[in-house]
Every structure is written in C-alpha cells, then in structure tokens.
Amino acid sequence: MKLKHKGLTIGLILILIVSVLSGCTSKTKVEVQQQEEVPSTEKVVYNTALHANGENGAVSSGRVEATEVGLEVLKAGGNAIDAAVATSFAIQFFEIESTGIAGGGFMLIHDAKSGEDVVIDMRETAPAATTPDMFLNTDVLDTNGDGEVDYYEANYHPLAIGVPGNVAGLELALNTYGTMSMQEIMDIVCAKAEQGIYVTNKVESAIAECYGYIQNYEASKELLLNDLGLPYVEGDIIYNPDLIETYQKIAKHGSEIFYKGELAQKMVDEIQKQGGILTMEDLVNYEATIIEPSTGTYRGYKIVSSPPPSSGGTHIIQGLNILENFDLKAMGHRSVDEFFLLQEIGKYLYTDRAKYMADTLFVDVPLKGLTSKAYAKSIADKIDLNKADNEVTAGMPADYEAVDTTHLSVIDKDGNMVSYTNTVNNYLGNAMVIPGTGIIMNNELTDFDFSNLDSINAPKPGMRPLSSMSPTFVFTPEGEPLMSLGTPGGYTIFFTVLQNIINVIDHGMDVNTAINIERCSYHPAGAYYGEEFYLYIEPKDDETSIDEKILEELRARGQIVASKHDYYGSTNAVYRDTKGFHAVADRRRDSHAGAY
Ligand code: GLY
C-alpha cells in the first residue's frame, strides 16, 4: 500500500466540518478555516508489506516503524519477548490514535523451551473513588444539556480514565521473560521515534474526528494540531519529543517513575485539574499480573487465548466449540449457510457475554460451562439452519465498546511467540495529553457497562472493565505452533479471530488469505449500535455489496443482515513452517509485516 504525500493543499481554504454523527466528536459543530498556504517540499511515502518471510524471526504490527523496531531487536540477539516489548513501546509511540503507554492490554507469551503459555494482564483498573453510578451523574457529565449522558460525553470526560497498565505490564514481561535491559530496548525505540510519526489517512481521520475534544486541552492541541491550530493531514509528520524524554525516564528509573514518581504526579495533577478522580494512591497500587490463559480445542487444534477480564478468549473457544458441530468445509466459505450459522452463533456469544462476563476477581463467571463442549452442543442443537432465532438476544444490555485498539505478534528463531493486544480504547483515548510528557490518557472505564447499575460489568473501585481483546495462539494436533494472531476491533475482536481460525482450519486457506479475505462482523443490539442486532458482510473492494441473492436468502430465513464497506478488525499474525518464519498483516489498516 502506498499513501501519497498530501501536505497541505495549496491555494485552498479548507472548511472542515466535524460532524457529531461521525464518531468521536463533540456535540457542537466546529468550523476550521485554513488561512495560509503551506507548500509541501518533501515527498514521503508510507510503505507497508502484508506478507514477509525470513529464516530467523518475524514481526507483524500496526505500523511500519514498530515492526522495524521489533526486527532490529531480534537481529541484535533479543528474544521474542524483548522484540515484543520494543515493538509495543514503538507502537505506543507511532500508532498514536489507537494505543499508548497510558493504556492497557493483554500479552500472551509462549515459552518454546518449557512449552508454557502465560498471559500478562495489564488491563487498566477503576480508581478507588469509582462509584457504579458515576457516569449517570448528569450534573457533571451532561455536556450538551439534554438531561442524559451518552457514550461520547462519558468517553471524553476525565472520569473515564482508568489506572494505566501498559508500563507495569511491559516491564513485568521484560524482567520475567526477556533478556535485554529496558535501557537497551528504549534506545532502539527512541532512535526510531526521533523521525516523527508519519500521518496516514487513519491518523488524519482520528484527529479530525476528535478535533472538538482536543480543543479542551492545551497540551493536546500542541501535540495533535499543526501551527495553524488545524488537524494534521496525511503526509504530515507529528513530532513528540516529550514522549521520547518520558521513555528515557522509564528506561532510567523503571516503572516506578510512572506509578510513584514525577510522571505519576503529572498525570494526577492534570487529571484532577480537569475533573477526574485518579489519585497517586491509585497509581501506586496498580499491579500487572501473570495469569493463566483460556484454553480449548477445535477439531484437534489447541487454542490458547485471553481469560477474563477479557471476554475474548472464552468466546472464541465457545464459538469454535459450537462450530465443531457443523461441517463448515462442506458449507463453503462465504456460503449462505456459513453466514447464517455465524450470525446465529454470534447471538449466543454476545448474549452470554453481556450476562456472565466481567472481572473474575470481583464476580463469579461460569468459565468452565462457557467453554465446555457439552454446553456448546446444547446450543448447536438449538440452531435451525433454515430459521433464525431472534429471541436469543432478548434482554441484552447495550454494548458500548470502542472499535479501536491495536495488535502485534512476534516469533523468534527458537519458536518463542508473543501475541499482544493493547489500547487506549477510543481513537486518541480520552484525547487528554498530560503536559510535558507526551502521554495520552485512556478512556477505558467506558468498557464497563457504565449506564446499567444491574450489570455484572457495572463499575466498581479497583475492578478491571470487561475487554474483548483476544491475543491468541493456535497449535496443531501434534502440538506444533500454527500461528500467533490477534486484532483490534473492540467488541468485534473475538468474532474476527474466530473467522481467521476457521478460514485456516476448515477452509484450508494460508494465513495471509485467511486474514485478508473479506469477512463479516456481528453487532449486538444496544443503544449505540442500533436497537437491533445484525450481521455486516464485507463486500469485495470493487463491489458495493455482496450478492443480493445471499442477502435475500438470509433475510428469508429471518436474519437481519447488511453488506457494507465498514471494516472491523485488522489482524496481525506470525507463524513458522518448513520454509521459515512468516509475518502477515491486514490490508485494512496501516499494518506492516516484517521478517529476516
Ligand atoms: N477497549 C477494547 C477492548 O478492551 O476490547
């Protein structure tokens, strides 16, 4: 993929109208006038590769620069964990719209020598002053005065900031499973960061969409708008020297400076000044932990993925268990029967998720039942391939997750693997930059069911909001690693990973095709996404819709379906076979695959 350098259009006055309907925008319409001509002098291109092969290792991530950093670490003798930590800090610098060090995530690690798989849970937590009803307080949060608090008002309020987990989690990963020092890692990341962030079309859209919220904070304006106070556009370069300095401080002092020292104090001061509730005590008390993954099997292949507080791994295993009762190969990829079956299964997965899933340190989740083959069989028995069951979703609470986030996968010469999904939640998180640090805060607390006090996932102090992030490994029936994969996409994440897996196992596709071929996404009913659940089917690039006959047939069986070009997810995968090491990136975002 090549993105042309646009710079700022010569001789034009740009009227940018940021619409409230278009995503993470403020409720007021904002008009921006570009007053000056700024000719572009330098031609810069952003080149990505969707597939790379090598003899020693492979990295796939959401940005070229981050993949290059990971490869550099592997070439310097680092193992997959060293490379993944470096790629992570790089992605948290370069994929500025999707993640950051003040976010959180789940890192799945495979140790080739011991065969052990572990998850580092670095999900954000709710501050101690969190109350279940804090997002319902219209006095504080009703920014447009309509007597209600909506998703965007909550998302871009400082109350939505959770205690960040990435810095503690990455340090834990490096100290426990890596071989290099934080200083060695950061030196490689910071050297790359000096070149600045090339603004892709995706970065441009994210900044434009959040323009109204960026206006709330001086430091956000300084970082994310150009000298004219306008959103950066594709081809521009964003420099973030404050974040480079922050990275060097973390290299020198460790995570302590982020959770107890100068950086902690700066975050607390700014967040409290803006009306948030995060305290020094919340940061001091934050802990990343090593936990056991969710595991299951699918047609003899072993599936290893994220456990709660992510719902992702559990529902991938549940979905695959249900699918095991059907002959997908005979149905055919993108057949009416397969689409129909995926939507029916989606109804069960998302209904169970809403009812049962939350942080297991706070609530009991019937994990054994959700991942049991017998439970899956009981669901499979209820599915009639000729008639949709539209009662499955009855009583499902609104689902409010953002679809941003990022994923990276790494494999080294010894077969160690990492799969890491991380996020600040929405595009540009909370849109709040902490002055003097280059750090953008998350808004992860809106992954709680913040508008429903009866929900199992209602906010509580110290609790981790429910996630869908699904870093996943698949092993062959003989126990050999088949692939490490994962994707962004909020609540659609596990539905995407599930399709990537069946494309390989049932439809015999190579990993590149399995990831890049058109797919579908299930959308549960909810106030934000619409009153009804539905299945979106991605058409081919040169088509506006899939075959009308397929849609008609699905509707005739009672399903709600639509075909449109909105994409959900962007998978990054690595694997090893007899020909060597391979990285695969998804064409849907700015991702890059590298190997050597
Ligand atoms: N914020 C997206 C997720 O946690 O799944």
Side-chain angles (χ1 to χ4, degrees):
M1 179 172 65
K2 269 196 179 145
L3 299 174
K4 229 174 55 225
H5 179 78
K6 275 204 301 197
L8 295 176
T9 315
I10 299 169
L12 279 183
I13 292 183
L14 169 73
I15 309 288
L16 175 67
I17 299 176
V18 181
S19 159
V20 65
L21 297 172
S22 71
C24 56
T25 57
S26 68
K27 284 284 171 190
T28 41
K29 291 196 172 189
V30 182
E31 288 200 359
V32 183
Q33 298 225 337
Q34 182 184 312
Q35 305 287 1
E36 279 178 31
E37 296 177 0
V38 182
S40 68
T41 47
E42 211 185 322
K43 288 263 181 261
V44 185
V45 284
Y46 182 82
N47 282 318
T48 58
L50 299 186
H51 191 200
N53 307 319
E55 288 165 15
N56 299 289
V59 181
S60 180
S61 83
R63 289 280 304 205
V64 172
E65 306 87 338
T67 296
E68 285 172 355
V69 161
L71 288 178
E72 212 174 307
V73 170
L74 288 179
K75 285 177 192 167
N79 68 9
I81 293 81
D82 298 317
V85 170
T87 309
S88 305
F89 278 113
I91 204 75
Q92 288 159 12
F93 185 93
F94 285 100
E95 202 176 334
I96 188 169
E97 73 282 19
S98 300
T99 187
I101 58 168
F106 296 89
M107 179 180 277
L108 179 59
I109 296 175
H110 174 70
D111 181 336
K113 207 162 166 199
S114 66
E116 189 192 22
D117 299 304
V118 295
V119 171
I120 304 211
D121 172 2
M122 52 187 104
R123 182 70 164 166
E124 298 91 333
T125 57
T130 300
T131 56
D133 61 354
M134 71 184 185
F135 287 106
L136 302 176
N137 183 350
T138 46
D139 289 347
V140 178
L141 278 153
D142 183 13
T143 52
N144 65 352
D146 67 357
E148 283 176 19
V149 173
D150 75 14
Y151 180 68
Y152 289 113
E153 286 168 309
N155 255 317
Y156 291 96
H157 192 280
L159 274 180
I161 298 171
V163 187
N166 281 337
V167 176
L170 293 175
E171 184 180 68
L172 180 62
L174 190 66
N175 290 346
T176 316
Y177 300 100
T179 64
M180 291 169 73
S181 70
M182 189 62 94
Q183 187 66 59
E184 288 169 308
I185 297 283
M186 284 302 199
D187 285 347
I188 295 174
V189 175
C190 290
K192 181 66 86 183
E194 295 285 351
Q195 77 183 49
I197 303 161
Y198 178 88
V199 176
T200 61
N201 181 270
K202 178 167 172 271
V203 180
E204 174 186 325
S205 309
I207 295 178
E209 283 182 11
C210 296
Y211 182 75
Y213 295 103
I214 291 167
Q215 299 294 323
N216 293 338
Y217 310 111
E218 278 313 308
S220 306
K221 289 198 272 185
E222 236 169 74
L223 177 64
L224 300 165
L225 305 180
N226 67 18
D227 290 348
L228 306 171
L230 296 169
Y232 283 107
V233 295
E234 188 180 330
D236 289 343
I237 306 287
I238 297 176
Y239 294 97
N240 194 354
D242 287 346
L243 190 55
I244 297 177
E245 209 178 304
T246 291
Y247 277 16
Q248 282 299 347
K249 285 178 183 161
I250 292 170
K252 194 159 171 216
H253 305 285
S255 67
E256 208 166 297
I257 193 160
F258 188 88
Y259 290 97
K260 296 181 182 156
E262 176 199 327
L263 296 172
Q265 194 61 60
K266 283 187 172 155
M267 284 188 278
V268 168
D269 289 350
E270 180 65 11
I271 292 167
Q272 291 191 356
K273 185 175 133 196
Q274 303 295 349
I277 53 171
L278 192 91
T279 63
M280 282 299 275
E281 211 185 351
D282 290 323
L283 286 162
V284 169
N285 289 338
Y286 183 83
E287 229 187 312
T289 53
I290 300 178
I291 55 177
E292 274 183 36
S294 291
T295 55
T297 60
Y298 180 58
R299 306 198 200 277
Y301 290 77
K302 185 176 170 198
I303 312 294
V304 180
S305 191
S306 54
S310 177
S311 57
T314 305
H315 292 307
I316 289 172
I317 291 163
Q318 184 187 3
L320 291 173
N321 282 344
I322 302 169
L323 283 165
E324 235 175 16
N325 295 281
F326 297 88
D327 187 348
L328 292 185
K329 199 172 172 183
M331 283 180 183
H333 181 244
R334 289 174 79 75
S335 62
V336 172
D337 280 347
E338 188 179 89
F339 283 133
F340 181 89
L341 182 58
L342 285 172
Q343 175 165 171
E344 292 305 293
I345 289 174
K347 292 172 190 171
Y348 286 97
L349 300 186
Y350 283 93
T351 306
D352 279 354
R353 179 181 186 275
K355 187 161 178 195
Y356 300 116
M357 271 292 183
D359 184 349
T360 40
L361 293 180
F362 285 74
V363 294
D364 287 331
V365 177
L367 286 173
K368 279 209 173 108
L370 286 169
T371 54
S372 91
K373 299 273 186 201
Y375 178 58
K377 173 84 170 59
S378 75
I379 293 174
D381 288 346
K382 283 192 250 174
I383 295 176
D384 176 350
L385 284 180
N386 296 307
K387 193 168 180 310
D389 180 355
N390 292 336
E391 295 306 308
V392 173
T393 52
M396 171 138 179
D399 196 301
Y400 285 101
E401 271 181 51
V403 293
D404 309 316
T405 308
T406 191
H407 180 82
L408 59 96
S409 291
V410 180
I411 185 165
D412 68 18
K413 62 178 173 23
D414 298 319
N416 299 306
M417 296 193 296
V418 176
S419 183
Y420 176 40
T421 314
N422 60 111
T423 190
V424 284
N425 202 17
N426 274 66
Y427 271 151
L428 296 172
N430 195 256
M432 182 197 288
V433 173
I434 304 300
T437 67
I439 296 172
I440 303 181
M441 296 313 299
N442 70 78
N443 57 8
E444 214 68 58
L445 299 198
T446 53
D447 273 356
F448 283 120
D449 202 347
F450 64 82
S451 62
N452 177 4
L453 299 184
D454 297 330
S455 168
I456 192 161
N457 184 36
K460 293 177 192 68
M463 185 167 167
R464 300 191 177 194
L466 184 62
S467 171
S468 296
M469 289 190 273
S470 314
T472 300
F473 297 146
V474 181
F475 295 87
T476 65
E478 295 73 39
E480 291 301 317
L482 181 71
M483 58 182 167
S484 158
L485 77 165
T487 177
Y491 68 97
T492 66
I493 287 176
F494 56 83
F495 212 70
T496 295
V497 174
L498 182 142
Q499 288 173 80
N500 297 152
I501 293 172
I502 63 174
N503 284 350
V504 172
I505 296 179
D506 293 284
H507 297 305
M509 292 177 200
D510 60 71
V511 181
N512 191 14
T513 310
I515 283 167
N516 278 298
I517 203 157
E518 295 75 21
R519 54 182 174 245
C520 57
S521 53
Y522 182 87
H523 300 261
Y528 174 56
Y529 293 107
E531 292 308 312
E532 290 181 307
F533 58 85
Y534 50 84
L535 191 78
Y536 270 149
I537 304 177
E538 221 181 353
K540 291 205 162 65
D541 278 353
D542 55 353
E543 293 170 354
T544 49
S545 167
I546 63 155
D547 188 346
E548 195 55 35
K549 277 200 215 112
I550 294 180
L551 295 175
E552 273 168 23
E553 175 64 28
L554 291 167
R555 286 179 188 133
R557 294 186 200 180
Q559 287 195 325
I560 303 166
V561 284
S563 179
K564 59 183 235 170
H565 273 292
D566 264 9
Y567 73 83
Y568 291 89
S570 180
T571 303
N572 293 99
V574 292
Y575 63 100
R576 176 189 200 173
D577 62 14
T578 49
K579 295 191 193 110
F581 294 84
H582 310 272
V584 174
D586 199 314
R587 65 191 161 87
R588 293 170 180 83
R589 288 196 177 183
D590 300 331
S591 299
H592 182 65
Y596 84 106

